[in-house]
Amino acid sequence: MITNWLPPDLLAEKVVFVTGGGSGINLGIAKSFARVGANVAICGRTPERLESAKLEIEENGAQVVTAVADVRDFDALSVAFEKTRKELGDIDCLVCGAAGNFLSPAEALSPNGFKSVVDIDLVGSFNACRGSFEQLKKQAGNIIFISAGQSFTPYIGQAHAGAAKAGVDNLMKNLALEWGHYGIRSNSIAPGPIEGTEGMKRLAPGAVGERLKATIPLGRFGQPEEIGYAAVFLASPLAAYITGTRLVVDGGQNLGGSAIFSQAILRSSSGSDSR
Ligand code: COA
């Protein structure tokens, strides 16, 4: 098991804040940080989800702080960051993970639908960076954005997510440029299809997922913790000279472009998937 060779003290005493840390990939990230000695704060919109995630992260050895905050609400995030500082200390690593997504052709998408995804993914990421900036500056900390293949490859039904994630990657590079002289590093991870997540349920349900899996060079979906290990690497001294970079962790899925996914979506929406 990979957990056997994780250095348990790699990030001892470090404080990691994960937005959207109550479930899915972000919870996997939070647990991976706990396994290498970090303490963890998570925020999200649903108190019950945060409480059950807290128990899971604690089982991996971390002290955990939870805060109910929507990343679109800068004031709520500021309260969450202050609570984290008081209970765990200044934040060393911010993971901008909160995201919203669904499949919708652009021609059927309302302006508010487009805006909601951009607000959560992009504006929410900026809010988190801006709100934790003073703490990150004090710690010469680092930021990890969660990007996606949609950032660099167009996908059917994903105009909103593509625009948001391309913005996220650009913000990542701008902050690397502007905040590097404070010792703050800024990078992103673009996860591929990760098993059991809300994103997979929404984007690649049933037969679409099976078709997609068959096209992945490594032949399987990823696990949330596998994104977590990439995040641990980027946050650790092993990546001390890495900033302004996007790390694609997708089993090679995006190497072939999005055509197969797009065909599967089109077949599924035209009803020809029942064959
Ligand atoms: N297709 C098209 N439009 C959709 C949609 C769908 N499947 N789901 C929501 N929308 C539209 C709504 O119709 C609304 O637009 P309108 O006011 O013009 O009708 C707009 O998006 C906002 O929807 P609402 O449900 O009010 O927003 P919210 O802020 O509560 O939720 C979402 C944000 C829409 C992103 C929601 O899907 C969400 O909360 N997602 C979080 C979890 C998630 O997506 N996880 C996967 C991440 S990869």
Side-chain angles (χ1 to χ4, degrees):
M1 274 243 303
I2 194 170
T3 43
N4 294 342
W5 48 264
L6 279 177
D9 295 327
L10 182 67
L11 296 178
E13 312 293 321
K14 299 290 184 192
V15 177
V16 180
F17 191 107
V18 185
T19 70
S23 64
I25 290 175
N26 298 322
L27 176 55
I29 290 174
K31 290 200 287 196
S32 300
F33 275 110
R35 286 180 196 141
V36 293
N39 291 322
V40 178
I42 54 174
C43 76
R45 286 183 286 175
T46 320
E48 302 74 35
R49 197 177 271 180
L50 290 173
E51 283 316 302
S52 93
K54 179 179 198 274
L55 297 177
E56 282 189 50
I57 303 165
E58 281 172 345
E59 276 168 16
N60 287 277
Q63 279 185 66
V64 180
V65 165
T66 64
V68 178
D70 186 323
V71 289
R72 291 170 285 191
D73 181 345
F74 183 78
D75 292 341
L77 270 182
S78 300
V79 170
F81 292 139
E82 185 53 18
K83 181 180 180 191
T84 304
R85 192 188 64 74
K86 281 196 182 126
E87 295 186 26
L88 299 178
D90 286 309
I91 296 163
D92 297 283
C93 175
L94 169 71
V95 180
C96 298
N101 201 1
F102 47 78
L103 274 175
S104 174
E107 68 194 48
L109 183 59
S110 73
N112 193 39
F114 187 92
K115 181 176 183 300
S116 297
V117 172
V118 172
D119 278 350
I120 298 172
D121 294 21
L122 177 55
V123 181
S125 293
F126 178 77
N127 287 344
C129 295
R130 186 66 189 86
S132 62
F133 169 68
E134 291 300 337
Q135 294 189 41
L136 290 171
K137 182 175 153 190
K138 210 182 286 177
Q139 300 300 101
N142 72 93
I143 305 164
I144 297 168
F145 294 89
I146 302 303
S147 177
Q150 290 90 323
S151 166
F152 52 90
T153 306
Y155 277 68
I156 289 274
Q158 289 287 274
H160 43 302
K165 294 298 191 181
V168 163
D169 276 338
N170 207 270
L171 176 63
M172 173 274 286
K173 289 180 193 166
N174 273 280
L175 296 189
L177 195 61
E178 287 196 25
W179 293 355
H181 67 105
Y182 298 121
I184 298 175
R185 295 183 297 108
S186 169
N187 294 290
S188 67
I189 296 173
I194 303 300
E195 199 148 37
T197 57
E198 180 69 21
M200 279 295 284
K201 274 182 225 147
R202 287 168 180 243
L203 303 186
V208 178
E210 287 311 306
R211 285 210 186 94
L212 180 62
K213 192 195 277 184
T215 69
I216 298 173
L218 289 185
R220 64 176 178 86
F221 296 136
Q223 298 298 318
E225 282 80 358
E226 291 178 304
I227 304 303
Y229 302 137
V232 165
F233 164 68
L234 285 174
S236 79
L238 296 170
Y241 203 51
I242 299 178
T243 194
T245 287
R246 176 178 58 217
L247 181 58
V248 180
V249 185
D250 69 347
Q253 183 243 323
N254 282 286
L255 292 172
S258 63
I260 291 172
F261 173 84
S262 296
Q263 275 172 13
I265 294 296
L266 289 172
R267 277 180 70 169
S268 136
S269 57
S270 70
S272 57
D273 236 358
S274 49
R275 279 177 285 139

